[in-house]
Amino acid sequence: MIGQTIRDLRKLKKMSQSELAKVVGVSQTTVTAWETGKAEPSSSAISSLADYFNVTTDYLLGRPEKKDDDTKTADIKDDDVIFTYEGRQIPKEDLELIRRIMRGTRNDIK
């Protein structure tokens, strides 16, 4: 799959395998092997290809974009969950203040 993507991107740039090989620092035979699926590029070659073609490495690897359903959620009412901000745990008193603000009851807020 990555070979087809490399081929498609190379053709969009109207460049030969030899030209791409020079850009990435490999032989033309290596580019041919990638495009035919006989070999896979190293991680450094994938990075170079992504930079050159201005795409992500995930795009080259054929990975889908991240799904929204991967988002982690927790209810602020859940006392069993440890909430953090910038890597530090939010104190219980601050969580209570946040709960009050969210409810719209600003009593005892200083």
Side-chain angles (χ1 to χ4, degrees), residues 22-97:
K22 287 179 187 173
V23 167
V24 182
V26 297
S27 69
Q28 184 264 324
T29 307
T30 300
V31 173
T32 302
W34 294 343
E35 291 186 0
T36 59
K38 293 181 181 172
E40 294 211 356
S42 66
S43 58
S44 62
I46 291 172
S47 181
S48 294
L49 289 163
D51 288 343
Y52 180 73
F53 290 120
N54 196 29
V55 296
T56 64
T57 54
D58 280 348
Y59 177 82
L60 283 175
L61 295 170
R63 293 182 179 159
E65 291 187 27
K66 189 173 181 176
K67 299 176 184 174
D68 288 338
D69 61 356
D70 290 342
T71 303
K72 295 177 184 177
T73 63
D75 194 311
I76 200 163
K77 292 189 291 182
D78 190 347
D79 290 328
D80 294 331
V81 176
I82 297 173
F83 290 93
T84 62
Y85 179 71
E86 294 182 344
R88 291 181 294 225
Q89 184 173 349
I90 300 172
K92 288 188 183 269
E93 307 82 47
D94 291 349
L95 283 175
E96 182 56 36
L97 178 61

